[in-house]
Amino acid sequence: MKVRVGLTGNDLKSLVHDSLHVSSKDMVWVTTSGEKGVSDKQSELCPGQVLSVSVRGPQLLVTGLPQLGIAVCSRVRVAAKTGVTSICLQSLRRPVAGGVVAPCYHGELELSAVGSKVQAVAICDLEDYVRGVLGSEIPGSYKLEAIKAQAVSARTYGLYPRISHEAQGFTVCDSYLCCQYFAGITSNITLNHKQAIEETKGEILTYQGKPALALFSSCAGGHTESYENCFSDPLSGQFPPEPIAYLKGVAEGKLSSAFPQEAGLRELWRLRAPQTVDAWSPHFRWQVTLTADVLEGHMHHAVETMRQAAEFASFIVAPPSNSFGHINSFEITNRGVSGVAVAMKINTSKGQWLIRKELVIRSVFKNPEVKLERLKSARIFFDYKKDKLGLLSCVAIYGLGWGHGVGLQQTGAEGLARQGKSYKEILSHYFQGAVVQVL
Ligand SMILES: [Zn+2]
């Protein structure tokens, strides 16, 4: 089975490009089609040659192959001449340990004109796709059964992502900001990864005979969360969306009766040895301390920027003054079953700002001065320090876990695998009522 993966730009957001430069270590076929009055043309791209593709009007402009000259066409396909090869996009950059590299892909590359830009789609074998996801998603040092649970989730999500890209001509995109991160050919793949992919080959997660929405995140910090408390409806944007039966938050061990209220989160955060399967993770608990100056220097800007963005605007409600005064405190007014903040008020001297949804709440704390992109999770509580005049001088933010916490959590899966649980048992813990099926 093949997967069509839309390739994003260096920002991991844009799904189209101004131009792209393609190369390969092996001889590959380049097929141009849709050239006016000309049938499909096939040329060879040799090692060392670079194919450049940009847009002229509604068509692609293809240069770099002496035998092809300058071609104006609607689609370019690059594919192995024989066997397996790697096709690299020289103009793209992807982060790796210690730097950045141009990504390379097995299979085929399809380039087409969309508006005045170039769209790139990698067409690869499903199991190659899972390899390109797993290397970045889960350490090879984890137990085999945990990696197998992740492999089934990644395979399912790759075929059935939350946001459909079918109208754009591909199944899934390669960005964790939208779907799940797909690195292409990666050196991060260990023997454990390979074995996990091989032993779950073709397996996906289903619920009542239909593919499940196989969400996952890094560390839930003691309790996973229910879908409707973190995500909007992908079609209507409605929040909260209809709940999903198998995406219900589950406890990861023994928790206090005060959980998921703030007192329960405080207790869990302070315990030296919490009795949960994910407490071994360094991401289980964290703390960020910000002075009022640093906080106020950036939060109004982060909130304002998000108000201008279509995907966030409806989750931010301004006070009647429509301005952001001095910050007095933060107040979580609604929490999910894991204690995740679903609604938060920012009490300022110019009125109360209401912020809804966990990713939006995490993101309003974006602060370049302390290199903070967003909080690691929204399972948070606060302590304040005030000056002699009673004004805020410092806030300590305490948090549990990393990520949204819906569906499978990787550190919990590892904890369960260490207890001897199989990947099917792990998956049925995080996706209750869902089962593993072969495609
Ligand atoms: Zn996507």
Side-chain angles (χ1 to χ4, degrees), residues 165 172-173 178-179:
H165 286 296
V172 66
C173 78
C178 173
C179 291

PDB file of all heavy atoms in Angstrom, residues 165 172-173 178-179, ligand 1:
ATOM      1  N   HIS A 165      -6.514  15.705   4.057  1.00  0.00           N
ATOM      2  CA  HIS A 165      -5.809  16.442   3.008  1.00  0.00           C
ATOM      3  C   HIS A 165      -6.227  15.929   1.626  1.00  0.00           C
ATOM      4  O   HIS A 165      -5.560  16.223   0.636  1.00  0.00           O
ATOM      5  CB  HIS A 165      -4.290  16.258   3.169  1.00  0.00           C
ATOM      6  CG  HIS A 165      -3.693  17.034   4.305  1.00  0.00           C
ATOM      7  ND1 HIS A 165      -3.681  18.399   4.344  1.00  0.00           N
ATOM      8  CD2 HIS A 165      -3.082  16.623   5.446  1.00  0.00           C
ATOM      9  CE1 HIS A 165      -3.076  18.811   5.456  1.00  0.00           C
ATOM     10  NE2 HIS A 165      -2.711  17.752   6.144  1.00  0.00           N
ATOM     11  N   VAL A 172      -1.741  12.613   3.912  1.00  0.00           N
ATOM     12  CA  VAL A 172      -1.249  13.107   5.196  1.00  0.00           C
ATOM     13  C   VAL A 172      -0.108  14.082   4.877  1.00  0.00           C
ATOM     14  O   VAL A 172       0.512  13.981   3.810  1.00  0.00           O
ATOM     15  CB  VAL A 172      -0.784  11.903   6.072  1.00  0.00           C
ATOM     16  CG1 VAL A 172       0.418  11.190   5.480  1.00  0.00           C
ATOM     17  CG2 VAL A 172      -0.521  12.281   7.523  1.00  0.00           C
ATOM     18  N   CYS A 173       0.163  15.050   5.762  1.00  0.00           N
ATOM     19  CA  CYS A 173       1.325  15.914   5.521  1.00  0.00           C
ATOM     20  C   CYS A 173       2.457  15.514   6.476  1.00  0.00           C
ATOM     21  O   CYS A 173       2.263  14.685   7.363  1.00  0.00           O
ATOM     22  CB  CYS A 173       0.963  17.393   5.644  1.00  0.00           C
ATOM     23  SG  CYS A 173       0.829  17.985   7.337  1.00  0.00           S
ATOM     24  N   CYS A 178       0.542  19.793  12.090  1.00  0.00           N
ATOM     25  CA  CYS A 178      -0.760  19.486  11.504  1.00  0.00           C
ATOM     26  C   CYS A 178      -1.076  17.994  11.661  1.00  0.00           C
ATOM     27  O   CYS A 178      -2.076  17.634  12.259  1.00  0.00           O
ATOM     28  CB  CYS A 178      -0.743  19.892  10.040  1.00  0.00           C
ATOM     29  SG  CYS A 178      -2.199  19.413   9.128  1.00  0.00           S
ATOM     30  N   CYS A 179      -0.220  17.133  11.137  1.00  0.00           N
ATOM     31  CA  CYS A 179      -0.452  15.679  11.198  1.00  0.00           C
ATOM     32  C   CYS A 179       0.581  15.053  12.135  1.00  0.00           C
ATOM     33  O   CYS A 179       0.540  15.297  13.325  1.00  0.00           O
ATOM     34  CB  CYS A 179      -0.382  15.088   9.794  1.00  0.00           C
ATOM     35  SG  CYS A 179      -1.780  15.608   8.745  1.00  0.00           S
TER      36      CYS A 179
HETATM   37 ZN    ZN B   1      -1.433  17.627   7.880  1.00  0.00          ZN
END
